[in-house]
Amino acid sequence: MPDQAKLTQGSTLKHVVVMSFTNALGLMCMFLVDLVDMLFLSLLDEKEALAAVGYASTVMFFTISISIAVSVAATALVARAIGEGRIEEAKQRAVSVLVFGVLFSTAIVALLWPNVPMILSFIGASGHSLSLASGYLHILVLGMPAVMVAMISSGIMRALGDARRAMYATLIGGIINAVLDPIFIFSLGLGVEGAALASLIARLSMVLVSYYGVVYVHNMLGKFHISHFCRDIRPICVIALPTMLTNMSSPLGNAIVMEHSSTFGDDAVAAMAIIGRIIPVVFGGLFALSGAVGPILGQNYGAGHFDRMHRTIGSAVFYAFGYCLVLCTVLYLAQDWLVAIFHATKGTADLIHFFATYASFSFFFQSLLFIGIAVFNNLGKPFNGTLLNFGRAILGTWPLIIIFGWFMGAEGVLLGQAVGSVIFGCLGFFLGRRYIHTLEKKETRDLRVGNNRAYDDPLL
């Protein structure tokens, strides 16, 4: 059990780097296995297999985004309580979010499973690709409750500042997946369905590792009480539901891109599927940034340390720029190798080259958006993050990829996405910084008149 809010002390840059790096290692390991899936499936010499996994992964991104949203609620609520010194309250909130997550994810599976072929058809899958994608997704979607528990447990540990142990679940799950992939795909001859089975078993293993950290290492689960659960549903929903919409806007944008790419043929779809696997592996450190900044902001807001909150935002930008500078250079230098290992056709290879050469640095601006969304999600205004991300997914994607695609073909789809990221990244960061200044002024004003922040806190 924590005896202090460790993120309220020490260097903010160190906290950002450590929290981001450890979270990124876990995420990149998980996504690296997805990339290995694509590599193994490319060896089957079946172009439809790559396209099928691309279609199915677009849907799986929705389910993973839902799990991440509930874990954000766990991180925000537990971190705030820890920062305020209310340990028992933090434990009650932790168990409430876990129960909420299991119930909600089970309901999603019951709704999604029978409608898999219809959903895949809607985003452009057809023929043999539809058949393969349906088999893949029918297996993988059954693991959603396991992913939910693992994500929430990792979010609780991040709220405590234990990013290293939070990393272990995805790291071990990724290793298990990588070991089982060639066995199921080739040795047992299961192909695409074998890749799905390997991923399902790996996700079940993640539950054991993450749950052990929360229960036996930190002793951070209180006893379940229905009255506490009913009380906590409101603050959970205040964060989780808007964050869920925020996270689903990214796969919505990806679905829009995948559907529009399908008009350029299977080569374009296969390229987008490969790029979709490359992005989380290369830029996992940026996707981890929001989860790293959130608990730091939450603990320091609970403790009333606004100076550290401002420094945290600056540290996050510094980290993101350095990360992009290094990784975009590596991606540029490795583009021919990526084309070779995926046995890409000329049309697919052209898109991979275009992404690595021109579009990749737009992820720095996406990181600015992630920082702004982390501010809103963890400081009581998650709906603002929802509007920003939906704005990027729709206004920053749909019209731009249509316009650029009209003039440049499939390459214009990638360029349109990049331009939208620049616009909404700058906007999101500006609004996030302004919101912290607003909270600071309100806190100062309330202290002068003797008001208690908790009376009008939307998270309580």
Side-chain angles (χ1 to χ4, degrees):
M1 182 186 302
D3 56 2
Q4 64 179 4
K6 63 184 293 186
L7 300 179
T8 62
Q9 304 172 17
S11 166
T12 58
L13 179 59
K14 179 182 177 182
H15 286 317
V16 168
V17 172
V18 170
M19 296 281 284
S20 295
F21 185 69
T22 50
N23 192 21
L25 281 178
L27 286 174
M28 284 191 288
C29 180
M30 183 171 65
F31 289 121
L32 180 61
V33 172
D34 284 343
L35 189 63
V36 172
D37 279 351
M38 297 292 288
L39 176 60
F40 284 140
L41 292 172
S42 71
L43 298 177
L44 295 175
D45 196 25
E46 187 176 16
K47 184 169 63 175
E48 290 86 357
L50 291 178
V53 175
Y55 287 122
S57 296
T58 301
V59 179
M60 282 306 301
F61 201 175
F62 277 98
T63 64
I64 292 174
S65 295
I66 291 171
S67 299
I68 292 173
V70 182
S71 75
V72 168
T75 300
L77 293 172
V78 173
R80 289 278 297 277
I82 293 295
E84 294 166 0
R86 297 181 291 117
I87 305 300
E88 291 303 316
E89 180 69 17
K91 293 169 70 173
Q92 288 297 326
R93 288 179 172 180
V95 73
S96 293
V97 180
L98 270 172
V99 173
F100 177 90
V102 170
L103 294 175
F104 189 74
S105 60
T106 302
I108 293 294
V109 171
L111 180 65
L112 184 62
W113 199 87
N115 296 305
V116 161
M118 180 186 68
I119 295 170
L120 290 170
S121 297
F122 179 75
I123 63 173
S126 61
H128 190 42
S129 294
L130 174 60
S131 176
L132 291 174
S134 296
Y136 182 88
L137 195 55
H138 269 132
I139 295 171
L140 208 54
V141 76
L142 296 176
M144 185 180 175
V147 174
M148 180 72 77
V149 172
M151 292 277 192
I152 293 172
S153 299
S154 295
I156 292 169
M157 287 187 284
R158 282 195 300 273
L160 302 174
D162 189 1
R164 176 177 55 88
R165 193 166 278 106
M167 170 190 69
Y168 288 161
T170 48
L171 196 61
I172 291 174
I175 292 171
I176 291 174
N177 201 340
V179 171
L180 294 179
D181 258 344
I183 296 174
F184 287 167
I185 294 173
F186 299 113
S187 298
L188 298 180
L190 297 177
V192 172
E193 292 185 354
L197 283 171
S199 296
L200 179 61
I201 293 172
R203 289 173 182 190
L204 294 174
S205 72
M206 290 168 56
V207 176
L208 300 177
V209 178
S210 57
Y211 192 77
Y212 175 83
V214 171
V215 176
Y216 294 102
V217 176
H218 291 290
N219 189 25
M220 273 302 295
L221 285 190
K223 292 183 178 180
F224 177 75
H225 297 287
I226 188 66
S227 59
H228 290 152
F229 177 69
C230 292
R231 176 203 64 187
D232 290 335
I233 285 178
R234 179 182 179 276
I236 292 171
C237 291
V238 163
I239 301 173
L241 294 182
T243 306
M244 205 174 294
L245 292 174
T246 300
N247 288 342
M248 284 196 296
S249 65
S250 293
L252 173 62
N254 290 339
I256 292 171
V257 169
M258 187 63 73
E259 191 277 333
H260 194 65
S261 298
S262 67
T263 63
F264 297 100
D266 277 349
D267 282 347
V269 173
M272 295 303 176
I274 293 170
I275 291 170
R277 289 304 189 281
I278 294 171
I279 285 171
V281 173
V282 175
F283 297 107
L286 299 182
F287 294 135
L289 190 59
S290 181
V293 171
I296 302 172
L297 291 174
Q299 282 197 14
N300 283 284
Y301 182 55
H305 295 164
F306 284 94
D307 58 328
R308 290 183 59 81
M309 294 169 68
H310 292 301
R311 290 204 300 273
T312 296
I313 297 301
S315 297
V317 174
F318 182 80
Y319 164 84
F321 183 81
Y323 186 97
C324 274
L325 193 61
V326 173
L327 270 296
C328 287
T329 301
V330 171
L331 181 60
Y332 175 78
L333 296 175
Q335 57 183 292
D336 290 332
W337 176 74
L338 290 170
V339 167
I341 65 170
F342 283 107
H343 308 284
T345 62
K346 184 181 184 306
T348 300
D350 288 343
L351 289 176
I352 294 174
H353 285 308
F354 186 86
F355 173 77
T357 303
Y358 301 108
S360 59
F361 200 77
S362 66
F363 278 86
F364 168 69
F365 296 93
Q366 280 204 40
S367 71
L368 297 183
L369 180 61
F370 297 153
I371 294 169
I373 290 173
V375 170
F376 291 121
N377 284 347
N378 288 272
L379 301 180
K381 294 289 184 182
F383 188 66
N384 290 18
T386 302
L387 293 177
L388 282 169
N389 228 24
F390 264 99
R392 182 184 69 86
I394 299 176
L395 297 178
T397 299
W398 210 333
L400 292 175
I401 66 173
I402 290 174
I403 293 170
F404 284 98
W406 180 269
F407 290 101
M408 299 176 60
E411 291 179 349
V413 175
L414 291 173
L415 184 59
Q417 272 189 303
V419 172
S421 294
V422 172
I423 295 170
F424 280 88
C426 293
L427 177 63
F429 182 74
F430 169 76
L431 294 176
R433 282 187 64 95
R434 190 174 70 171
Y435 181 57
I436 293 178
H437 283 292
T438 300
L439 288 175
E440 185 175 16
K441 291 177 182 178
K442 184 177 183 302
E443 180 90 350
T444 302
R445 186 173 62 250
D446 287 348
L447 287 175
R448 288 200 192 104
V449 299
N451 286 344
N452 188 335
R453 175 205 302 166
Y455 291 155
D456 60 356
D457 193 330
L459 299 186
L460 302 178

